[in-house]
């Protein structure tokens, strides 16, 4: 079993839809949770970074962490075609050499 | 803005060749990382470096080595390239110390071994 599980998709939604992307994890030592966005032929770029359980909002993006369920989510409101990309969740243990463990990524397509 | 530059976007090499992938960052970051990215497997850590001349094995170091002679440069070396090393290779860097500092990625090198 992988430490971090993420549905690879592809996920196709109409413009303006609310998108929900999710990851589950098995290692309760993970303390930092990140979402990266990766456009085709580009490197991943950081979207959201959270530490504690609860919600964190940044514009149209909301990151949610539920440590008791070992479950994290990224919500995208009013999705746009420019949101079409692969979304990677990543997690880190403090003192673990700052190493990240990544999900496999979910491919999202927002259609006009 | 942090800039992580990987020397080649696309590279084609032959089996048995020694291959060098170069990565340079311009933010004086202590930590640097090499990943490979494969469909269905996500990003997997090959090697990382805490600082100059320091290196640690990641999850899949077999067949690879690294060099960090200067703080801004981290090289990945395929000692004798094999076809199963065909992949997208990503370099990242981050500042040491604060756990809330993210890794910044380059745009990757797509390596094909024939």
């Amino acid at each position: 079993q992988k430490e971090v599980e993420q549905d690879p998709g592809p996920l196709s939604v109409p413009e303006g839809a609310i998108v929900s992307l999710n990851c589950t994890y098995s290692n309760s030592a993970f303390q930092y949770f990140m979402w990266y966005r990766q456009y085709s032929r580009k490197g991943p770029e950081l979207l959201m970074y959270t530490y504690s359980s609860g919600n964190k909002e940044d514009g149209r993006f909301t990151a949610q962490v539920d440590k008791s369920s070992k479950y994290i989510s990224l919500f995208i409101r009013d999705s746009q075609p420019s949101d079409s990309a692969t979304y990677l969740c990543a997690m880190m243990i403090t003192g673990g050499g700052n190493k990240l463990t990544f999900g496999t990524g979910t491919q999202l397509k927002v259609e006009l | 803005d942090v800039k992580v530059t990987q020397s080649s976007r696309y590279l084609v090499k032959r089996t048995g060749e020694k291959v060098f992938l170069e990565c340079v960052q311009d933010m004086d970051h202590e930590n640097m990382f090499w990943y490979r990215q494969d469909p269905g497997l996500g990003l997997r850590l090959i090697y990382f470096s805490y600082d100059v001349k320091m290196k640690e094995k990641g999850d899949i170091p077999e067949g690879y080595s690294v060099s960090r002679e200067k703080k801004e440069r981290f090289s990945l070396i395929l000692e004798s390239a094999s076809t199963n090393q065909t992949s997208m290779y990503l370099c990242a860097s981050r500042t040491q110390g604060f756990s809330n500092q993210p890794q910044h990625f380059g745009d990757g090198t797509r390596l094909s071994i024939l």
Side-chain angles (χ1 to χ4, degrees):
Chain A
Q1 184 192 5
K2 291 180 182 175
E3 277 192 293
V4 180
E5 299 277 358
Q6 185 176 9
D7 187 334
L11 180 62
S12 184
V13 301
E15 184 180 8
I18 296 173
V19 176
S20 172
L21 304 167
N22 310 295
C23 288
T24 59
Y25 61 96
S26 57
N27 189 345
S28 57
F30 286 130
Q31 294 178 289
Y32 292 89
F33 305 91
M34 285 138 271
W35 286 95
Y36 282 83
R37 178 176 61 195
Q38 185 176 20
Y39 290 116
S40 180
R41 300 185 187 87
K42 302 286 279 183
E45 57 176 333
L46 183 72
L47 263 184
M48 300 286 284
Y49 195 130
T50 55
Y51 169 67
S52 57
S53 283
N55 293 355
K56 181 177 180 180
E57 192 173 315
D58 184 1
R60 296 185 296 111
F61 298 92
T62 299
Q64 190 174 79
V65 174
D66 183 348
K67 288 186 177 179
S68 62
S69 301
K70 297 191 184 67
Y71 189 89
I72 69 170
S73 300
L74 178 71
F75 298 96
I76 307 174
R77 289 186 300 281
D78 188 25
S79 56
Q80 303 294 311
S82 58
D83 295 326
S84 298
T86 297
Y87 290 80
L88 301 156
C89 63
M91 307 180 187
M92 186 171 73
I93 301 168
T94 51
N98 299 319
K99 294 186 291 180
L100 295 178
T101 301
F102 284 86
T104 52
T106 299
Q107 187 180 351
L108 172 67
K109 185 172 184 180
V110 181
E111 305 199 69
L112 289 168
Chain B
D1 270 359
V2 176
K3 189 150 180 70
V4 179
T5 303
Q6 295 184 231
S7 55
S8 304
R9 292 300 303 276
Y10 301 95
L11 209 52
V12 180
K13 296 290 182 181
R14 297 205 173 274
T15 55
E17 280 193 68
K18 191 168 186 176
V19 181
F20 294 84
L21 302 182
E22 306 287 344
C23 175
V24 176
Q25 50 93 3
D26 66 355
M27 285 300 291
D28 203 36
H29 285 168
E30 292 83 4
N31 302 163
M32 296 189 75
F33 306 81
W34 274 107
Y35 296 88
R36 62 178 283 177
Q37 184 176 29
D38 300 289
L41 297 176
L43 275 76
R44 293 179 292 166
L45 182 64
I46 305 171
Y47 265 97
F48 64 104
S49 170
Y50 288 114
D51 212 328
V52 178
K53 296 193 186 294
M54 298 176 72
K55 59 186 179 183
E56 296 281 342
K57 292 180 180 179
D59 300 319
I60 51 163
E62 296 77 20
Y64 302 95
S65 63
V66 290
S67 173
R68 185 123 182 247
E69 295 297 316
K70 293 185 177 181
K71 194 173 188 179
E72 68 271 19
R73 187 179 296 271
F74 192 33
S75 302
L76 180 69
I77 303 156
L78 285 66
E79 298 290 345
S80 178
S82 64
T83 54
N84 63 12
Q85 292 177 310
T86 292
S87 186
M88 168 71 90
Y89 289 87
L90 289 161
C91 175
S93 73
R94 78 183 287 280
T95 190
Q96 177 76 353
F98 298 105
S99 295
N100 64 350
Q101 295 302 309
Q103 292 187 17
H104 299 270
F105 285 85
D107 283 336
T109 296
R110 188 166 291 281
L111 175 64
S112 296
I113 307 295
L114 304 178

